[in-house]
Amino acid sequence: MALSKELMGFSSFFSASSKVFLHNKHGTFWVNPILLPSENPRVMRLRKGAKFPVAAISEDLIKTTLTVQAEKPVQFKVRAVVTVRNKIKEDFKETMLKHFDAINDRIGTRNVVLELISTEIDPKTKSPKKSSKATLKDWSKKSNVKAERVNYTTEFIVDSNFGVPGAITVTNKHQREFFLESITIEGFASGAVHFPCKSWVQGERIFFSNQTYLPGDTPAGLRVLREKELINLRGDGKGVRKLSDRIYDFDTYNDLGNPDEGVELTRPTLGGSQNHPYPRRCRTGRAPTDTDMHAESRVEMPLPMYVPRDEQFNESKLNTFVIKRLKAVLHNLIPGLKASLSANNHDFNRFSDIDDLYSDEILNKIPLPQVLTKIQDCGRGLLKYDTPKIISKDKFAWLRDDEFARQAIAGVNPVNIEGLKVFPPVSKLDPEIYGHQESALKEEHILGQLNGMTVQQAIVENKLFMINYHDVYVPFLDEINALDGRKSYATRTIFFLTPLGTLKPIAIELSLGPSSGWKRVVTPPVDATTNWKWQLAKAHVCANDAGVHQLVNHWLRTHACMEPFILSAHRQLSAMHPVFKLLDPHMRYTLDINALARQKLINADGIIESCFTPGRYCMEISCAAYKNLWRFDMEGLPADLIRRGMAVPDPTQPNGVKLLIEDYPYATDGLLIWSAIENWVRTYVNHYYHHSNSSLICNDKELQAWYSESINVGHADLRHERWWPTLNNSEDLVSILTTLIWTVSAQHAAINFGQYPYGGYVPNRPPLMRRLIPEAEVESTSTEYANFLADPQKFFLNALPSVLQATKYMAIVDILSTHSSDEEYLGERRHSSIWSGDAEIIQAFYSFSTEIRRIENEIEKRNRDPTLRNRCGAGVLPYELLAPTSQPGVTCRGIPNSVST
């Protein structure tokens, strides 16, 4: 009777509230029960209605539900929503495997199994608490769903003392891998638990929730799993890596040459020696070549190069590359036909020959057989190149001196100009090796161009600037000029800052190799002959610039030097570590694009060697720059500007620097982006590492291991340099992380996405030169000089790359300048609201995103300001390379989070 009264009261409670709260030392849980009879008179069975859990509770528990802790754990159900990303296109094998997997899943022999793991240790087993295992529902029913993302569900049974889920195991027993985007667990009183997975699953995998833990704060139930996952990612450094592996390891660049194909394709190993120091790349473990035990055998396209499975391009990104490669083949089809049909079509002879590349008229100028007329009709629009931006507003802008100078601070390579502090310039090359390298520049060469100033006065007032490629090229000039079809100088270009805030070139110094010691200075023209020589001198400067831009500023500084930090982050930082979560979007696709570069771009006889003046010495120039020029502590924007004499320290300015050229678009926009990144990083770091507690940084074993390995293994050849920043406190960490994020996002964008818009018109920015400037004193009776005088336009164009070299170069910079449809831009990230479980950090990230949008509006405003002549004016391209967002395609703008092209 007493019991029935209790039940009547309890039933009344049910009608008033759909939730029963169960309290114990592990927290509060609720069920939505329906009473069922039980064989045990002291136990009532509660079963959920609709989709809620089953719970068994005793009479005593019923009496004390609202106020007293449960004596025994109560079982209940939680629901998992699993999001899987489908492939857009499947080959026959994949389709068949999908059908087999669906059949096996239906009969229960091979399916996808999940298991929740608590943050707490079970006192009985001394191991993490686990839920029941559960299989995904409806896998077979949804196997034919064509949506990009498909949600599957399942349910776990857990005890009320389970605690908080911290990890989940996913076992894919299917034959076919799948891409797991995320898992959300619903039903815990603490709220939904999110697992942002973003990974391919084959076999058994473990994923951690979006909660962030420093190593010392790792819950007991996750400590062993945290270390085990890192051990798996490191591998054992042995064997050949399979494409399905997820192992991150280091190796030297010993796979660029192909000695088995001939001695001319032999290249030195970069990294691991004093003569050829270089950053490390991702280890693949392939067998050595037959002729050189120290060289790794090649994998040629279309076979893929190994990178860890999760680093490979997704389908959308890969499709963008495939389509662009197909267009590159089509683009080169017509120039190839022209070259094969006529010996006179190997070179550009008139500027109209170059114009034809951007016009459908190119098809009408080839005597194709009648059988190919349909190809003509189908090919219109596909065979022509898009018009580069540099000639879209003013076809002849590239010829002007002011545009030549403007591109030094607002073009695709605005990071080499420096303040001139000593005149004449002084070489830093070792005179015992290269001889004395005195400059040929004299005061009389520039004095008349300084608006009445003396040279010393112009230097003191910060009016003289220089682009100096002398020391980069001199050590290689004799070898370069011995190559067939390659001619180069080592150049120095002097600029004067006008009262309008624009630059004008006032002298170009040209030097040949140490063996000749030949030097000369070219100054602005005074007649027709000197005008064409001046144009040739500027073209040689641009070829020097194109080589340094591609080999040093683009490849070395933003691709190769960042790879060790990425490899080590995966090896040493748990996915739960706050620094890993911060860096995660900034590491996307970099290992894959770098592997593609080793396979097709920077390899022996690859596109870079074929299209740039240094030829087979391209990567050795990159290597020398790493040895002599690269310093991590100078890669941050303010430090770089000060190093180059383009700014001076000024604590009154927002970024602590004052620019010496006020209208320096790359720097002015870049400092806005740098400041936003730095503020975001500082907020993030100070949230996890309190300002006054430097011991948190020093005692963070994962963080210290990451930074130490990045230097001592990834940059082993420079590990003893004294300029490496320390990592002892939060400000050190802010500086290091800001530099990394700036480099892979904004710095890379500034020097990458303008390559086709500026370089797609080859006369504006030739990647190689094939002729030196004719000298009247030496060649007055020669055919070469006579040809120059008779047809300077043809001579100029024949000095540029051949038709096939130019179109090959245009095709590759078109690919590199393209944004894919799945690009993520600065201030954006996948799973933007759940990538971290810390609400305060999510809010700080949204504030960062808002600041990035504000900066974009400011950049647009600057580009409309007529007083800023380096970015606004008749025929002047606006400076948008640091505008944060972009549409897909070649847009000359947009800052992706990572180095992905």
Side-chain angles (χ1 to χ4, degrees):
M1 185 65 180
L3 178 58
S4 72
K5 290 181 179 179
E6 291 288 349
L7 291 177
M8 289 176 64
F10 203 58
S11 297
S12 299
F13 171 75
F14 283 170
S15 64
S17 172
S18 62
K19 297 180 181 179
V20 175
F21 291 88
L22 308 179
H23 301 270
N24 66 12
K25 64 180 180 179
H26 300 285
T28 301
F29 302 89
W30 59 265
V31 294
N32 188 8
I34 295 175
L35 289 176
L36 296 174
S38 172
E39 296 178 3
N40 187 338
R42 290 186 58 80
V43 173
M44 280 291 157
R45 303 286 302 175
L46 301 180
R47 178 168 296 166
K48 71 180 179 70
K51 297 182 180 180
F52 289 97
V54 175
I57 59 176
S58 68
E59 179 185 2
D60 294 332
L61 178 60
I62 294 173
K63 294 180 179 178
T64 58
T65 298
L66 301 176
T67 58
V68 182
Q69 292 184 347
E71 296 177 358
K72 295 182 179 180
V74 178
Q75 288 190 325
F76 66 104
K77 288 184 180 180
V78 294
R79 179 172 177 261
V81 179
V82 178
T83 302
V84 172
R85 189 178 70 208
N86 274 338
K87 283 193 172 183
I88 301 171
K89 294 181 180 179
E90 297 174 338
D91 58 27
F92 177 76
K93 179 181 178 181
E94 289 173 326
T95 302
M96 292 303 297
L97 287 177
K98 181 176 72 173
H99 289 312
F100 282 130
D101 287 340
I103 294 170
N104 289 325
D105 194 89
R106 190 175 298 117
I107 63 178
T109 57
R110 301 176 70 89
N111 43 34
V112 179
V113 181
L114 286 72
E115 185 178 37
L116 279 178
I117 300 174
S118 173
T119 57
E120 299 181 7
I121 293 290
D122 189 322
K124 294 180 180 179
T125 64
K126 307 301 181 183
S127 61
K129 297 175 182 178
K130 297 182 180 180
S131 71
S132 62
K133 292 186 177 181
T135 59
L136 288 188
K137 298 178 179 179
D138 300 330
W139 186 279
S140 58
K141 291 181 181 179
K142 296 180 179 179
S143 61
N144 292 319
V145 173
K146 300 300 182 182
E148 183 180 0
R149 289 170 175 81
V150 180
N151 291 331
Y152 301 91
T153 61
T154 191
E155 291 177 335
F156 300 96
I157 297 176
V158 297
D159 290 338
S160 55
N161 63 1
F162 181 80
V164 178
I168 187 169
T169 60
V170 180
T171 305
N172 178 16
K173 297 181 180 180
H174 293 161
Q175 299 179 69
R176 184 170 175 262
E177 66 176 359
F178 62 84
F179 188 84
L180 179 57
E181 283 220 335
S182 64
I183 301 173
T184 298
I185 308 297
E186 302 169 340
F188 285 95
S190 55
V193 181
H194 301 286
F195 295 82
C197 307
K198 302 174 297 181
S199 183
W200 291 96
V201 179
Q202 184 63 278
E204 183 175 327
R205 290 288 309 282
I206 185 165
F207 298 99
F208 298 102
S209 76
N210 62 351
Q211 292 300 316
T212 303
Y213 302 104
L214 294 175
D217 298 331
T218 309
L222 303 180
R223 288 172 189 165
V224 173
L225 294 176
R226 181 171 187 151
E227 183 57 32
K228 180 181 177 182
E229 178 69 359
L230 288 174
I231 291 172
N232 290 337
L233 291 170
R234 292 173 197 144
D236 59 5
K238 300 177 182 178
V240 180
R241 297 271 62 88
K242 302 188 297 291
L243 293 176
S244 59
D245 285 347
R246 294 174 57 252
I247 295 177
Y248 299 77
D249 205 355
F250 299 94
D251 207 346
T252 58
Y253 282 72
N254 62 347
D255 62 340
L256 302 182
N258 194 356
D260 289 349
E261 295 296 319
V263 66
E264 69 279 1
L265 295 179
T266 300
R267 296 293 182 271
T269 293
L270 303 185
S273 70
Q274 186 175 359
N275 291 333
H276 295 101
Y278 216 62
R280 300 301 189 260
R281 48 93 172 179
C282 182
R283 179 185 178 275
T284 62
R286 296 191 306 272
T289 60
D290 295 333
T291 53
D292 185 350
M293 288 297 296
H294 300 291
E296 190 172 79
S297 56
R298 297 276 306 162
V299 173
E300 303 296 350
M301 297 181 77
L303 295 176
M305 186 93 78
Y306 169 77
V307 293
R309 183 65 181 100
D310 291 340
E311 307 304 317
Q312 297 169 25
F313 289 165
N314 74 15
E315 207 171 355
S316 174
K317 178 76 171 179
L318 189 59
N319 285 342
T320 300
F321 264 71
V322 170
I323 291 169
K324 280 291 184 178
R325 284 202 298 264
L326 177 60
K327 287 182 67 176
V329 171
L330 294 174
H331 286 158
N332 283 283
L333 178 62
I334 297 303
L337 284 172
K338 291 179 69 176
S340 64
L341 291 171
S342 171
N344 296 324
N345 282 319
H346 288 288
D347 297 327
F348 296 113
N349 296 306
R350 291 290 179 265
F351 284 103
S352 58
D353 294 340
I354 300 175
D355 296 339
D356 288 344
L357 296 175
Y358 316 110
S359 169
D360 289 324
E361 293 301 313
I362 187 172
L363 289 165
N364 298 328
K365 296 187 177 184
I366 303 176
L368 294 175
Q370 188 172 359
V371 72
L372 296 181
T373 54
K374 287 191 175 181
I375 295 179
Q376 282 184 296
D377 296 333
C378 296
R380 295 186 187 280
L382 290 175
L383 300 179
K384 70 183 183 72
Y385 286 86
D386 295 329
T387 302
K389 279 197 172 185
I390 185 59
I391 58 171
S392 63
K393 295 183 71 174
D394 182 351
K395 185 177 180 179
F396 304 105
W398 67 276
L399 280 167
R400 301 196 315 266
D401 284 357
D402 64 289
E403 177 62 22
F404 170 77
R406 189 191 74 86
Q407 290 184 33
I409 55 175
V412 70
N413 189 37
V415 297
N416 277 109
I417 189 167
E418 58 189 71
L420 185 63
K421 303 304 179 186
V422 177
F423 190 88
V426 178
S427 172
K428 296 180 181 179
L429 294 174
D430 188 343
E432 294 186 4
I433 300 175
Y434 303 106
H436 293 282
Q437 295 288 325
E438 292 88 355
S439 173
L441 285 160
K442 308 295 181 186
E443 286 197 9
E444 54 264 30
H445 289 131
I446 65 173
L447 197 56
Q449 302 283 342
L450 304 183
N451 286 7
M453 291 184 178
T454 65
V455 173
Q456 189 58 36
Q457 184 182 2
I459 290 175
V460 170
E461 296 187 20
N462 299 308
K463 300 296 184 182
L464 289 178
F465 298 86
M466 174 175 62
I467 293 182
N468 183 6
Y469 296 131
H470 179 276
D471 287 5
V472 174
Y473 278 90
V474 161
F476 300 93
L477 275 183
D478 287 340
E479 290 82 0
I480 291 172
N481 288 326
L483 298 172
D484 290 338
R486 306 295 168 98
K487 295 299 176 185
S488 180
Y489 300 101
T491 64
R492 290 188 180 107
T493 307
I494 309 298
F495 299 90
F496 178 72
L497 181 63
T498 71
L500 295 176
T502 59
L503 293 171
K504 68 174 181 178
I506 58 176
I508 296 173
E509 181 187 26
L510 306 171
S511 301
L512 289 177
S515 62
S516 72
W518 182 93
K519 295 179 177 68
R520 69 166 293 184
V521 176
V522 182
T523 54
V526 294
D527 58 21
T529 300
T530 54
N531 176 69
W532 279 106
K533 289 188 175 184
W534 178 246
Q535 295 299 338
L536 281 166
K538 290 195 297 182
H540 274 282
V541 171
C542 288
N544 271 192
D545 188 77
V548 171
H549 162 260
Q550 197 67 261
L551 301 169
V552 180
N553 298 328
H554 181 210
W555 166 254
L556 173 68
R557 295 173 64 185
T558 69
H559 283 257
C561 285
M562 294 298 103
E563 184 160 345
F565 292 96
I566 294 171
L567 289 170
S568 187
H570 286 281
R571 289 165 53 85
Q572 303 296 343
L573 295 174
S574 167
M576 292 184 282
H577 198 287
V579 170
F580 185 90
K581 288 186 181 295
L582 176 68
L583 291 177
D584 185 36
H586 304 292
M587 303 187 289
R588 187 181 186 221
Y589 293 153
T590 303
L591 298 185
D592 206 4
I593 194 66
N594 286 5
L596 286 170
R598 300 202 315 273
Q599 192 173 32
K600 194 67 176 176
L601 296 182
I602 63 173
N603 58 301
D605 204 31
I607 292 173
I608 299 298
E609 287 192 3
S610 300
C611 296
F612 288 82
T613 301
R616 63 175 295 145
Y617 303 103
C618 277
M619 289 305 293
E620 291 188 57
I621 286 180
S622 181
C623 183
Y626 178 68
K627 180 179 181 179
N628 300 317
L629 302 176
W630 186 81
R631 288 180 50 158
F632 182 79
D633 64 329
M634 293 293 160
E635 289 301 287
L637 180 59
D640 177 59
L641 292 170
I642 293 171
R643 170 177 61 172
R644 291 190 284 119
M646 300 302 294
V648 293
D650 185 345
T652 67
Q653 298 297 314
N655 293 281
V657 297
K658 179 182 178 182
L659 294 174
L660 298 183
I661 299 178
E662 292 184 8
D663 184 15
Y664 182 0
Y666 160 76
T668 53
D669 292 0
L671 286 171
L672 293 178
I673 299 291
W674 170 272
S675 181
I677 294 172
E678 185 178 46
N679 290 337
W680 155 237
V681 171
R682 179 171 284 108
T683 299
Y684 190 92
V685 167
N686 288 340
H687 180 77
Y688 294 103
Y689 301 97
H690 305 298
H691 244 328
S692 59
N693 193 353
S694 61
S695 64
L696 285 176
I697 297 283
C698 296
N699 294 332
D700 186 333
K701 63 178 183 179
E702 287 185 5
L703 182 70
Q704 294 294 335
W706 163 67
Y707 189 55
S708 176
E709 185 177 69
S710 297
I711 297 171
N712 294 305
V713 180
H715 288 278
D717 302 327
L718 300 182
R719 66 186 182 278
H720 296 305
E721 296 294 339
R722 303 183 66 178
W723 43 253
W724 284 104
T726 58
L727 180 51
N728 295 327
N729 53 54
S730 59
E731 277 305 301
D732 290 345
L733 183 56
V734 168
S735 176
I736 291 165
L737 293 176
T738 303
T739 297
L740 289 173
I741 294 173
W742 158 263
T743 302
V744 301
S745 60
Q747 181 63 66
H748 178 260
I751 59 181
N752 181 70
F753 293 105
Q755 290 192 81
Y756 186 80
Y758 282 97
Y761 187 70
V762 170
N764 177 64
R765 191 174 175 76
L768 66 80
M769 296 294 287
R770 296 184 294 156
R771 288 183 174 182
L772 298 176
I773 300 174
E775 294 297 321
E777 300 83 1
V778 178
E779 305 177 44
S780 58
T781 59
S782 71
T783 304
E784 181 89 349
Y785 194 72
N787 290 338
F788 167 69
L789 293 177
D791 195 341
Q793 179 186 162
K794 181 178 180 180
F795 187 95
F796 176 84
L797 291 173
N798 287 176
L800 303 183
S802 68
V803 173
L804 290 179
Q805 288 172 327
T807 53
K808 189 175 184 180
Y809 167 75
M810 291 164 62
I812 193 59
V813 294
D814 183 32
I815 293 174
L816 296 177
S817 302
T818 299
H819 292 288
S820 63
S821 59
D822 76 328
E823 202 74 83
E824 294 173 5
Y825 298 95
L826 196 65
E828 302 174 354
R829 64 182 299 163
R830 289 173 291 176
H831 306 292
S832 58
S833 62
I834 63 166
W835 62 271
S836 171
D838 194 315
E840 186 175 335
I841 287 299
I842 294 294
Q843 186 58 48
F845 179 75
Y846 285 140
S847 297
F848 170 60
S849 300
T850 301
E851 176 63 10
I852 293 297
R853 299 290 85 76
R854 187 197 68 78
I855 290 171
E856 187 159 34
N857 292 333
E858 174 62 23
I859 290 172
E860 292 174 358
K861 179 181 177 182
R862 290 174 176 181
N863 284 328
R864 297 190 299 267
D865 186 345
T867 66
L868 301 177
R869 291 175 172 83
N870 292 316
R871 62 196 307 159
C872 182
V876 175
L877 292 184
Y879 188 73
E880 297 180 305
L881 285 168
L882 286 173
T885 63
S886 173
Q887 296 297 315
V890 179
T891 63
C892 203
R893 61 178 291 141
I895 304 177
N897 277 323
S898 61
V899 176
S900 57
T901 51

